[in-house]
Amino acid sequence: QKEVEQDPGPLSVPEGAIVSLNCTYSNSAFQYFMWYRQYSRKGPELLMYTYSSGNKEDGRFTAQVDKSSKYISLFIRDSQPSDSATYLCAMQPDYKLSFGAGTTVTVRA
Amino acid sequence: DTGVSQNPRHKITKRGQNVTFRCDPISEHNRLYWYRQTLGQGPEFLTYFQNEAQLEKSRLLSDRFSAERPKGSFSTLEIQRTEQGDSAMYLCASSLPSSYNEQFFGPGTRLTVL
């Protein structure tokens, strides 16, 4: 079993919809939780990170962490076609990132 | 552009050949990481440098792989006697001394072994 599980999708939504992404994990030592966006054939781009449990908002993006359930989420409000990408969750106890497989999202105009 | 840069962006080689990739991190970042990403998967950790010291190597990094960061600035990743299973995107990331949770990735080097 992988340390980090993420549904690969694909997920297709109309423009303006809320995109909901999530990951589950098994390692209780994880303290930092990140979301990366990756466009095709590009490197991952850090969107936001959260330390321990709680919510964090940045513009149209909201990240949630529930350590008791070992479950993290990313919500994208008012989605745009430019949000079409693969979204990777990542987490770490220290310097080593453990990634999910990524969820491919398409926002239809 | 002051982001992480990687060269070459693409490399096609024949099985058995040696290849070397280069990563130039963001200038003030003293921590440097290498990851490997295969199609449909998330990146997997390979190795980590703090300045010139290589502090950890994943079990994914077989004896055919070697990484260096000679002066604590750029880093190289060499694969000897390449195999078809080495085909992947090789990603480099860097972070500030105080913050290894904010890792910034380069564009990657896509390796194809024929």
Side-chain angles (χ1 to χ4, degrees):
Chain A
Q1 184 180 2
K2 293 182 179 179
E3 276 192 315
V4 182
E5 298 282 353
Q6 182 175 11
D7 186 339
L11 190 62
S12 180
V13 300
E15 183 175 358
I18 295 175
V19 176
S20 174
L21 305 166
N22 58 76
C23 291
T24 58
Y25 64 95
S26 57
N27 188 344
S28 299
F30 289 143
Q31 294 289 340
Y32 288 93
F33 304 89
M34 293 78 172
W35 286 95
Y36 284 83
R37 177 174 61 196
Q38 187 172 29
Y39 293 112
S40 181
R41 298 184 176 271
K42 303 289 186 185
E45 172 194 6
L46 180 63
L47 288 175
M48 55 198 306
Y49 75 91
T50 308
Y51 173 71
S52 195
S53 285
N55 296 355
K56 186 173 184 179
E57 189 172 316
D58 184 1
R60 297 184 296 111
F61 298 88
T62 299
Q64 293 182 348
V65 175
D66 181 348
K67 290 191 70 179
S68 63
S69 302
K70 296 188 175 65
Y71 186 91
I72 71 169
S73 302
L74 178 71
F75 300 95
I76 308 173
R77 292 184 299 280
D78 187 25
S79 57
Q80 304 296 311
S82 58
D83 294 327
S84 298
T86 296
Y87 290 81
L88 297 154
C89 64
M91 44 201 82
Q92 59 185 160
D94 46 41
Y95 50 81
K96 186 190 312 182
L97 287 173
S98 294
F99 282 86
T103 301
T104 300
V105 175
T106 301
V107 180
R108 307 185 306 272
Chain B
D1 189 349
T2 57
V4 177
S5 61
Q6 292 187 246
N7 288 287
R9 295 292 310 278
H10 305 275
K11 180 69 176 179
I12 300 174
T13 191
K14 293 182 179 179
R15 189 175 53 187
Q17 298 295 304
N18 299 344
V19 294
T20 300
F21 311 140
R22 175 176 169 132
C23 170
D24 287 88
I26 296 170
S27 58
E28 64 270 26
H29 288 187
N30 74 330
R31 297 171 189 257
L32 187 147
Y33 316 81
W34 285 96
Y35 291 83
R36 180 172 68 187
Q37 185 176 24
T38 54
L39 196 62
Q41 300 299 316
E44 294 176 292
F45 173 82
L46 292 179
T47 191
Y48 158 57
F49 289 87
Q50 182 167 316
N51 298 311
E52 65 275 12
Q54 187 174 18
L55 297 185
E56 182 170 343
K57 293 172 60 174
S58 163
R59 56 180 173 77
L60 294 176
L61 220 61
S62 75
D63 291 343
R64 296 185 297 105
F65 289 72
S66 63
E68 294 182 344
R69 195 181 183 199
K71 295 183 179 180
S73 56
F74 72 91
S75 175
T76 57
L77 178 67
E78 181 183 16
I79 309 174
Q80 296 182 328
R81 304 181 303 281
T82 52
E83 301 173 356
Q84 288 185 325
D86 297 331
S87 295
M89 173 82 90
Y90 289 84
L91 293 161
C92 175
S94 69
S95 69
L96 284 167
S98 57
S99 177
Y100 47 62
N101 51 287
E102 288 187 276
Q103 295 184 21
F104 296 90
F105 282 81
T109 294
R110 182 168 296 280
L111 173 66
T112 301
V113 181
L114 302 176

Short mmCIF file of all heavy atoms in Angstrom, two decimals, chain A residues 2 8 32-34 36 38 40-46 49 86 88 92-102, chain B residues 9-10 31 33 35 37 40-45 48 55-56 89 91 99-108 110:
data_model
loop_
_atom_site.label_atom_id
_atom_site.label_comp_id
_atom_site.label_asym_id
_atom_site.label_seq_id
_atom_site.Cartn_x
_atom_site.Cartn_y
_atom_site.Cartn_z
N LYS A 2 0.50 2.23 -0.83
CA LYS A 2 1.28 3.46 -0.90
C LYS A 2 1.02 4.29 0.34
O LYS A 2 -0.05 4.25 0.94
CB LYS A 2 0.89 4.24 -2.15
CG LYS A 2 1.27 3.55 -3.45
CD LYS A 2 0.89 4.43 -4.64
CE LYS A 2 1.30 3.77 -5.94
NZ LYS A 2 0.92 4.60 -7.11
N PRO A 8 -6.72 9.25 -9.32
CA PRO A 8 -6.15 9.89 -10.51
C PRO A 8 -7.17 10.56 -11.41
O PRO A 8 -6.80 11.31 -12.32
CB PRO A 8 -5.48 8.71 -11.24
CG PRO A 8 -6.25 7.51 -10.78
CD PRO A 8 -6.65 7.79 -9.37
N TYR A 32 3.70 18.35 7.33
CA TYR A 32 3.46 19.39 6.34
C TYR A 32 2.73 18.78 5.15
O TYR A 32 3.07 17.68 4.71
CB TYR A 32 4.78 20.01 5.87
CG TYR A 32 5.44 20.88 6.89
CD1 TYR A 32 6.38 20.36 7.77
CD2 TYR A 32 5.11 22.23 6.99
CE1 TYR A 32 6.99 21.15 8.72
CE2 TYR A 32 5.71 23.03 7.94
CZ TYR A 32 6.65 22.49 8.80
OH TYR A 32 7.24 23.28 9.74
N PHE A 33 1.77 19.52 4.65
CA PHE A 33 0.92 19.01 3.57
C PHE A 33 0.87 20.06 2.46
O PHE A 33 0.55 21.21 2.72
CB PHE A 33 -0.48 18.71 4.10
CG PHE A 33 -0.46 17.74 5.26
CD1 PHE A 33 -0.34 18.20 6.55
CD2 PHE A 33 -0.53 16.38 5.02
CE1 PHE A 33 -0.30 17.31 7.62
CE2 PHE A 33 -0.48 15.48 6.08
CZ PHE A 33 -0.36 15.95 7.38
N MET A 34 1.20 19.63 1.24
CA MET A 34 1.31 20.55 0.13
C MET A 34 0.40 20.15 -1.02
O MET A 34 0.03 18.98 -1.15
CB MET A 34 2.75 20.55 -0.45
CG MET A 34 3.80 21.08 0.44
SD MET A 34 4.24 19.83 1.68
CE MET A 34 5.64 20.65 2.40
N TYR A 36 0.57 20.73 -5.22
CA TYR A 36 1.30 21.19 -6.39
C TYR A 36 0.40 21.08 -7.61
O TYR A 36 -0.44 20.20 -7.70
CB TYR A 36 2.55 20.33 -6.63
CG TYR A 36 3.71 20.60 -5.71
CD1 TYR A 36 3.78 20.03 -4.44
CD2 TYR A 36 4.76 21.43 -6.12
CE1 TYR A 36 4.86 20.28 -3.60
CE2 TYR A 36 5.84 21.68 -5.29
CZ TYR A 36 5.88 21.10 -4.04
OH TYR A 36 6.96 21.35 -3.22
N GLN A 38 0.69 20.71 -11.79
CA GLN A 38 1.64 20.34 -12.83
C GLN A 38 0.96 20.34 -14.19
O GLN A 38 0.02 19.58 -14.42
CB GLN A 38 2.24 18.96 -12.55
CG GLN A 38 3.36 18.56 -13.50
CD GLN A 38 4.06 17.27 -13.09
OE1 GLN A 38 3.48 16.40 -12.47
NE2 GLN A 38 5.34 17.15 -13.43
N SER A 40 1.17 19.73 -18.33
CA SER A 40 1.75 18.65 -19.10
C SER A 40 3.21 18.92 -19.45
O SER A 40 3.53 20.00 -19.95
CB SER A 40 0.93 18.44 -20.38
OG SER A 40 1.45 17.38 -21.14
N ARG A 41 4.06 17.96 -19.15
CA ARG A 41 5.50 18.02 -19.48
C ARG A 41 6.21 19.20 -18.82
O ARG A 41 7.21 19.69 -19.34
CB ARG A 41 5.71 18.02 -20.99
CG ARG A 41 5.18 16.75 -21.65
CD ARG A 41 5.46 16.69 -23.13
NE ARG A 41 5.02 15.42 -23.69
CZ ARG A 41 5.75 14.34 -23.75
NH1 ARG A 41 6.99 14.35 -23.29
NH2 ARG A 41 5.28 13.21 -24.26
N LYS A 42 5.71 19.64 -17.67
CA LYS A 42 6.37 20.69 -16.91
C LYS A 42 6.65 20.18 -15.50
O LYS A 42 6.14 19.14 -15.08
CB LYS A 42 5.47 21.94 -16.81
CG LYS A 42 5.05 22.51 -18.15
CD LYS A 42 6.20 23.17 -18.86
CE LYS A 42 5.70 23.86 -20.13
NZ LYS A 42 6.81 24.42 -20.91
N GLY A 43 7.46 20.93 -14.76
CA GLY A 43 7.71 20.59 -13.37
C GLY A 43 6.55 20.99 -12.48
O GLY A 43 5.77 21.88 -12.83
N PRO A 44 6.39 20.36 -11.31
CA PRO A 44 5.33 20.75 -10.37
C PRO A 44 5.56 22.16 -9.83
O PRO A 44 6.69 22.56 -9.58
CB PRO A 44 5.46 19.71 -9.25
CG PRO A 44 6.25 18.58 -9.82
CD PRO A 44 7.16 19.20 -10.82
N GLU A 45 4.45 22.86 -9.65
CA GLU A 45 4.47 24.23 -9.14
C GLU A 45 3.76 24.23 -7.78
O GLU A 45 2.60 23.80 -7.68
CB GLU A 45 3.75 25.14 -10.12
CG GLU A 45 3.52 26.55 -9.65
CD GLU A 45 2.52 27.29 -10.52
OE1 GLU A 45 1.92 26.68 -11.43
OE2 GLU A 45 2.33 28.50 -10.29
N LEU A 46 4.43 24.71 -6.74
CA LEU A 46 3.84 24.74 -5.42
C LEU A 46 2.68 25.73 -5.36
O LEU A 46 2.86 26.91 -5.64
CB LEU A 46 4.90 25.10 -4.38
CG LEU A 46 4.44 25.18 -2.93
CD1 LEU A 46 3.95 23.81 -2.44
CD2 LEU A 46 5.58 25.69 -2.05
N TYR A 49 0.89 25.28 1.07
CA TYR A 49 1.17 24.23 2.02
C TYR A 49 0.54 24.58 3.35
O TYR A 49 0.30 25.74 3.69
CB TYR A 49 2.67 23.99 2.17
CG TYR A 49 3.42 25.03 2.96
CD1 TYR A 49 3.60 24.92 4.34
CD2 TYR A 49 3.97 26.13 2.32
CE1 TYR A 49 4.29 25.86 5.05
CE2 TYR A 49 4.67 27.09 3.03
CZ TYR A 49 4.85 26.94 4.39
OH TYR A 49 5.53 27.90 5.09
N THR A 86 -2.74 18.72 -13.79
CA THR A 86 -2.71 17.64 -12.82
C THR A 86 -2.35 18.21 -11.47
O THR A 86 -1.39 18.99 -11.35
CB THR A 86 -1.69 16.55 -13.23
OG1 THR A 86 -2.11 15.96 -14.46
CG2 THR A 86 -1.57 15.47 -12.16
N LEU A 88 -1.20 17.51 -7.64
CA LEU A 88 -0.50 16.53 -6.83
C LEU A 88 -0.54 16.94 -5.37
O LEU A 88 -0.18 18.07 -5.03
CB LEU A 88 0.97 16.44 -7.26
CG LEU A 88 1.27 15.97 -8.68
CD1 LEU A 88 2.60 16.52 -9.15
CD2 LEU A 88 1.29 14.45 -8.72
N GLN A 92 5.14 15.55 4.10
CA GLN A 92 6.48 15.22 4.59
C GLN A 92 6.56 15.33 6.10
O GLN A 92 5.94 16.20 6.70
CB GLN A 92 7.51 16.17 3.96
CG GLN A 92 7.26 17.62 4.27
CD GLN A 92 8.20 18.56 3.54
OE1 GLN A 92 7.92 19.72 3.38
NE2 GLN A 92 9.34 18.08 3.10
N PRO A 93 7.38 14.46 6.67
CA PRO A 93 7.72 14.64 8.08
C PRO A 93 8.96 15.52 8.21
O PRO A 93 9.15 16.16 9.22
CB PRO A 93 8.05 13.21 8.54
CG PRO A 93 8.54 12.53 7.30
CD PRO A 93 7.89 13.20 6.11
N ASP A 94 9.81 15.51 7.18
CA ASP A 94 11.06 16.29 7.18
C ASP A 94 11.32 16.79 5.78
O ASP A 94 10.45 17.39 5.19
CB ASP A 94 12.21 15.46 7.74
CG ASP A 94 12.27 14.05 7.16
OD1 ASP A 94 12.05 13.90 5.94
OD2 ASP A 94 12.48 13.11 7.92
N TYR A 95 12.49 16.50 5.20
CA TYR A 95 12.83 17.06 3.91
C TYR A 95 12.31 16.26 2.72
O TYR A 95 12.27 16.74 1.62
CB TYR A 95 14.35 17.18 3.78
CG TYR A 95 15.08 15.91 4.12
CD1 TYR A 95 15.20 14.90 3.20
CD2 TYR A 95 15.62 15.74 5.39
CE1 TYR A 95 15.85 13.72 3.51
CE2 TYR A 95 16.27 14.57 5.72
CZ TYR A 95 16.38 13.58 4.77
OH TYR A 95 17.01 12.40 5.09
N LYS A 96 11.89 15.01 2.95
CA LYS A 96 11.54 14.12 1.85
C LYS A 96 10.06 14.20 1.55
O LYS A 96 9.23 13.88 2.40
CB LYS A 96 11.90 12.69 2.24
CG LYS A 96 11.73 11.68 1.14
CD LYS A 96 11.88 10.27 1.68
CE LYS A 96 13.09 10.08 2.55
NZ LYS A 96 13.22 8.69 3.03
N LEU A 97 9.71 14.66 0.35
CA LEU A 97 8.30 14.74 -0.03
C LEU A 97 7.80 13.38 -0.50
O LEU A 97 8.46 12.70 -1.28
CB LEU A 97 8.12 15.75 -1.16
CG LEU A 97 8.25 17.23 -0.81
CD1 LEU A 97 8.21 18.07 -2.09
CD2 LEU A 97 7.15 17.67 0.12
N SER A 98 6.60 13.01 -0.05
CA SER A 98 5.90 11.83 -0.56
C SER A 98 4.68 12.33 -1.31
O SER A 98 3.84 13.03 -0.74
CB SER A 98 5.47 10.90 0.57
OG SER A 98 6.59 10.35 1.23
N PHE A 99 4.60 11.97 -2.58
CA PHE A 99 3.54 12.49 -3.45
C PHE A 99 2.45 11.45 -3.68
O PHE A 99 2.70 10.24 -3.69
CB PHE A 99 4.12 12.85 -4.82
CG PHE A 99 4.87 14.14 -4.88
CD1 PHE A 99 6.21 14.19 -4.56
CD2 PHE A 99 4.23 15.30 -5.28
CE1 PHE A 99 6.91 15.39 -4.64
CE2 PHE A 99 4.91 16.50 -5.36
CZ PHE A 99 6.25 16.55 -5.04
N GLY A 100 1.24 11.98 -3.92
CA GLY A 100 0.20 11.15 -4.49
C GLY A 100 0.44 11.03 -5.99
O GLY A 100 1.32 11.68 -6.55
N ALA A 101 -0.40 10.22 -6.65
CA ALA A 101 -0.22 9.98 -8.08
C ALA A 101 -0.69 11.14 -8.93
O ALA A 101 -0.34 11.25 -10.10
CB ALA A 101 -0.95 8.71 -8.49
N GLY A 102 -1.47 12.05 -8.33
CA GLY A 102 -1.97 13.19 -9.07
C GLY A 102 -3.36 12.97 -9.62
O GLY A 102 -3.71 11.85 -10.02
N ARG B 9 16.65 19.53 -21.41
CA ARG B 9 15.24 19.33 -21.15
C ARG B 9 14.80 17.95 -21.63
O ARG B 9 13.91 17.35 -21.05
CB ARG B 9 14.41 20.40 -21.85
CG ARG B 9 14.67 21.81 -21.32
CD ARG B 9 14.14 21.98 -19.87
NE ARG B 9 12.78 21.52 -19.73
CZ ARG B 9 11.72 22.23 -20.06
NH1 ARG B 9 11.87 23.46 -20.51
NH2 ARG B 9 10.50 21.74 -19.91
N HIS B 10 15.42 17.50 -22.67
CA HIS B 10 15.09 16.18 -23.21
C HIS B 10 16.39 15.46 -23.55
O HIS B 10 17.35 16.09 -24.00
CB HIS B 10 14.24 16.28 -24.49
CG HIS B 10 13.00 17.08 -24.32
ND1 HIS B 10 11.82 16.55 -23.82
CD2 HIS B 10 12.75 18.39 -24.55
CE1 HIS B 10 10.90 17.51 -23.78
NE2 HIS B 10 11.43 18.62 -24.21
N ARG B 31 19.58 23.88 -0.08
CA ARG B 31 19.09 22.51 -0.10
C ARG B 31 18.66 22.16 -1.52
O ARG B 31 17.98 22.95 -2.18
CB ARG B 31 17.92 22.33 0.86
CG ARG B 31 18.28 22.60 2.32
CD ARG B 31 17.04 22.61 3.18
NE ARG B 31 17.32 23.07 4.54
CZ ARG B 31 17.42 22.26 5.58
NH1 ARG B 31 17.26 20.96 5.42
NH2 ARG B 31 17.67 22.75 6.77
N TYR B 33 17.30 18.81 -4.11
CA TYR B 33 16.68 17.49 -4.11
C TYR B 33 16.55 16.99 -5.55
O TYR B 33 16.30 17.77 -6.48
CB TYR B 33 15.27 17.56 -3.52
CG TYR B 33 15.15 18.39 -2.27
CD1 TYR B 33 15.05 19.78 -2.35
CD2 TYR B 33 15.10 17.80 -1.01
CE1 TYR B 33 14.93 20.55 -1.21
CE2 TYR B 33 14.98 18.58 0.14
CZ TYR B 33 14.89 19.95 0.03
OH TYR B 33 14.77 20.72 1.16
N TYR B 35 14.26 14.13 -7.75
CA TYR B 35 13.11 13.22 -7.76
C TYR B 35 13.01 12.61 -9.16
O TYR B 35 13.48 13.17 -10.14
CB TYR B 35 11.81 13.99 -7.48
CG TYR B 35 11.67 14.52 -6.07
CD1 TYR B 35 12.26 15.73 -5.70
CD2 TYR B 35 10.92 13.82 -5.12
CE1 TYR B 35 12.12 16.21 -4.41
CE2 TYR B 35 10.77 14.32 -3.82
CZ TYR B 35 11.37 15.51 -3.48
OH TYR B 35 11.23 16.00 -2.20
N GLN B 37 10.00 10.97 -11.83
CA GLN B 37 8.56 10.84 -12.06
C GLN B 37 8.32 10.02 -13.31
O GLN B 37 8.80 10.37 -14.39
CB GLN B 37 7.91 12.22 -12.20
CG GLN B 37 6.39 12.16 -12.31
CD GLN B 37 5.76 13.54 -12.35
OE1 GLN B 37 6.39 14.53 -12.74
NE2 GLN B 37 4.50 13.64 -11.94
N GLY B 40 2.03 9.01 -15.16
CA GLY B 40 0.86 8.69 -14.36
C GLY B 40 1.14 8.55 -12.87
O GLY B 40 0.24 8.16 -12.12
N GLN B 41 2.36 8.86 -12.46
CA GLN B 41 2.72 8.76 -11.05
C GLN B 41 3.23 10.10 -10.53
O GLN B 41 3.64 10.97 -11.31
CB GLN B 41 3.81 7.70 -10.85
CG GLN B 41 3.40 6.30 -11.29
CD GLN B 41 2.21 5.78 -10.51
OE1 GLN B 41 2.13 5.91 -9.28
NE2 GLN B 41 1.26 5.19 -11.21
N GLY B 42 3.23 10.24 -9.22
CA GLY B 42 3.83 11.42 -8.63
C GLY B 42 5.33 11.25 -8.54
O GLY B 42 5.85 10.14 -8.65
N PRO B 43 6.05 12.35 -8.34
CA PRO B 43 7.50 12.26 -8.20
C PRO B 43 7.89 11.38 -7.00
O PRO B 43 7.21 11.36 -5.99
CB PRO B 43 7.93 13.71 -7.98
CG PRO B 43 6.82 14.53 -8.57
CD PRO B 43 5.58 13.75 -8.31
N GLU B 44 9.02 10.69 -7.16
CA GLU B 44 9.57 9.87 -6.07
C GLU B 44 10.95 10.41 -5.69
O GLU B 44 11.78 10.67 -6.57
CB GLU B 44 9.71 8.41 -6.51
CG GLU B 44 8.38 7.71 -6.77
CD GLU B 44 8.59 6.31 -7.28
OE1 GLU B 44 9.09 6.16 -8.41
OE2 GLU B 44 8.28 5.35 -6.54
N PHE B 45 11.20 10.52 -4.42
CA PHE B 45 12.45 11.06 -3.90
C PHE B 45 13.63 10.17 -4.27
O PHE B 45 13.56 8.94 -4.14
CB PHE B 45 12.34 11.16 -2.37
CG PHE B 45 13.61 11.54 -1.69
CD1 PHE B 45 14.00 12.87 -1.61
CD2 PHE B 45 14.41 10.57 -1.10
CE1 PHE B 45 15.17 13.23 -0.96
CE2 PHE B 45 15.58 10.91 -0.45
CZ PHE B 45 15.96 12.25 -0.38
N TYR B 48 19.14 13.94 -1.64
CA TYR B 48 19.04 15.27 -1.03
C TYR B 48 20.43 15.76 -0.65
O TYR B 48 21.24 15.01 -0.11
CB TYR B 48 18.14 15.15 0.20
CG TYR B 48 18.27 16.20 1.26
CD1 TYR B 48 18.09 17.54 0.95
CD2 TYR B 48 18.54 15.85 2.57
CE1 TYR B 48 18.18 18.50 1.94
CE2 TYR B 48 18.63 16.80 3.57
CZ TYR B 48 18.46 18.12 3.25
OH TYR B 48 18.55 19.08 4.22
N LEU B 55 23.06 14.00 1.89
CA LEU B 55 22.63 13.52 3.20
C LEU B 55 21.76 12.27 3.15
O LEU B 55 21.64 11.57 4.16
CB LEU B 55 21.90 14.64 3.94
CG LEU B 55 22.75 15.87 4.25
CD1 LEU B 55 21.97 16.87 5.10
CD2 LEU B 55 24.06 15.49 4.93
N GLU B 56 21.11 12.02 2.03
CA GLU B 56 20.32 10.80 1.94
C GLU B 56 20.19 10.35 0.50
O GLU B 56 20.07 11.18 -0.40
CB GLU B 56 18.93 10.97 2.54
CG GLU B 56 18.11 9.66 2.49
CD GLU B 56 16.82 9.69 3.27
OE1 GLU B 56 16.65 10.57 4.13
OE2 GLU B 56 15.97 8.80 3.03
N MET B 89 10.91 11.24 -16.11
CA MET B 89 11.23 12.66 -15.95
C MET B 89 12.05 12.78 -14.67
O MET B 89 11.63 12.31 -13.61
CB MET B 89 9.94 13.48 -15.82
CG MET B 89 10.19 14.93 -15.50
SD MET B 89 10.60 15.90 -16.95
CE MET B 89 8.94 16.41 -17.42
N LEU B 91 13.44 15.27 -11.98
CA LEU B 91 13.12 16.59 -11.47
C LEU B 91 14.10 17.00 -10.38
O LEU B 91 14.48 16.19 -9.54
CB LEU B 91 11.70 16.60 -10.89
CG LEU B 91 10.57 16.40 -11.89
CD1 LEU B 91 9.30 15.97 -11.18
CD2 LEU B 91 10.31 17.68 -12.66
N SER B 99 13.67 26.27 5.30
CA SER B 99 12.34 25.85 4.89
C SER B 99 12.39 24.73 3.87
O SER B 99 12.29 24.97 2.68
CB SER B 99 11.58 27.03 4.30
OG SER B 99 10.31 26.65 3.83
N TYR B 100 12.54 23.49 4.32
CA TYR B 100 12.54 22.42 3.33
C TYR B 100 11.14 22.00 2.92
O TYR B 100 10.97 21.13 2.07
CB TYR B 100 13.35 21.20 3.79
CG TYR B 100 13.09 20.72 5.19
CD1 TYR B 100 11.84 20.26 5.59
CD2 TYR B 100 14.10 20.73 6.13
CE1 TYR B 100 11.61 19.82 6.87
CE2 TYR B 100 13.89 20.28 7.42
CZ TYR B 100 12.65 19.83 7.79
OH TYR B 100 12.44 19.40 9.05
N ASN B 101 10.11 22.61 3.52
CA ASN B 101 8.76 22.27 3.10
C ASN B 101 8.29 23.08 1.91
O ASN B 101 7.27 22.78 1.32
CB ASN B 101 7.77 22.42 4.25
CG ASN B 101 7.87 23.76 4.92
OD1 ASN B 101 8.81 24.03 5.64
ND2 ASN B 101 6.90 24.62 4.68
N GLU B 102 9.03 24.12 1.54
CA GLU B 102 8.72 24.87 0.33
C GLU B 102 9.77 24.53 -0.71
O GLU B 102 10.78 25.21 -0.84
CB GLU B 102 8.70 26.36 0.61
CG GLU B 102 7.51 26.81 1.44
CD GLU B 102 7.43 28.32 1.56
OE1 GLU B 102 8.11 28.85 2.45
OE2 GLU B 102 6.71 28.94 0.77
N GLN B 103 9.55 23.45 -1.41
CA GLN B 103 10.48 23.01 -2.43
C GLN B 103 9.99 23.48 -3.79
O GLN B 103 8.85 23.23 -4.16
CB GLN B 103 10.61 21.48 -2.41
CG GLN B 103 11.23 20.97 -1.12
CD GLN B 103 11.45 19.48 -1.11
OE1 GLN B 103 11.51 18.82 -2.15
NE2 GLN B 103 11.59 18.92 0.10
N PHE B 104 10.87 24.14 -4.51
CA PHE B 104 10.54 24.69 -5.82
C PHE B 104 11.21 23.84 -6.88
O PHE B 104 12.42 23.63 -6.86
CB PHE B 104 11.00 26.15 -5.91
CG PHE B 104 10.28 27.03 -4.94
CD1 PHE B 104 10.76 27.24 -3.66
CD2 PHE B 104 9.08 27.65 -5.31
CE1 PHE B 104 10.08 28.04 -2.76
CE2 PHE B 104 8.39 28.46 -4.41
CZ PHE B 104 8.89 28.64 -3.13
N PHE B 105 10.40 23.38 -7.81
CA PHE B 105 10.87 22.43 -8.81
C PHE B 105 11.29 23.11 -10.11
O PHE B 105 10.74 24.14 -10.50
CB PHE B 105 9.76 21.42 -9.14
CG PHE B 105 9.61 20.35 -8.10
CD1 PHE B 105 8.90 20.59 -6.94
CD2 PHE B 105 10.20 19.11 -8.28
CE1 PHE B 105 8.76 19.61 -5.98
CE2 PHE B 105 10.07 18.11 -7.32
CZ PHE B 105 9.35 18.37 -6.16
N GLY B 106 12.25 22.49 -10.77
CA GLY B 106 12.61 22.88 -12.11
C GLY B 106 11.70 22.22 -13.14
O GLY B 106 10.80 21.46 -12.77
N PRO B 107 11.95 22.49 -14.42
CA PRO B 107 11.09 21.96 -15.48
C PRO B 107 11.31 20.48 -15.75
O PRO B 107 10.50 19.84 -16.42
CB PRO B 107 11.46 22.80 -16.70
CG PRO B 107 12.87 23.22 -16.43
CD PRO B 107 12.97 23.39 -14.94
N GLY B 108 12.40 19.92 -15.24
CA GLY B 108 12.66 18.50 -15.42
C GLY B 108 13.48 18.19 -16.67
O GLY B 108 13.55 18.98 -17.61
N ARG B 110 13.52 15.10 -19.35
CA ARG B 110 12.81 13.88 -19.77
C ARG B 110 13.79 12.95 -20.46
O ARG B 110 14.36 13.30 -21.50
CB ARG B 110 11.66 14.22 -20.71
CG ARG B 110 10.86 12.98 -21.15
CD ARG B 110 9.57 13.37 -21.85
NE ARG B 110 8.67 14.07 -20.96
CZ ARG B 110 7.87 13.49 -20.07
NH1 ARG B 110 7.88 12.16 -19.95
NH2 ARG B 110 7.07 14.19 -19.32
#
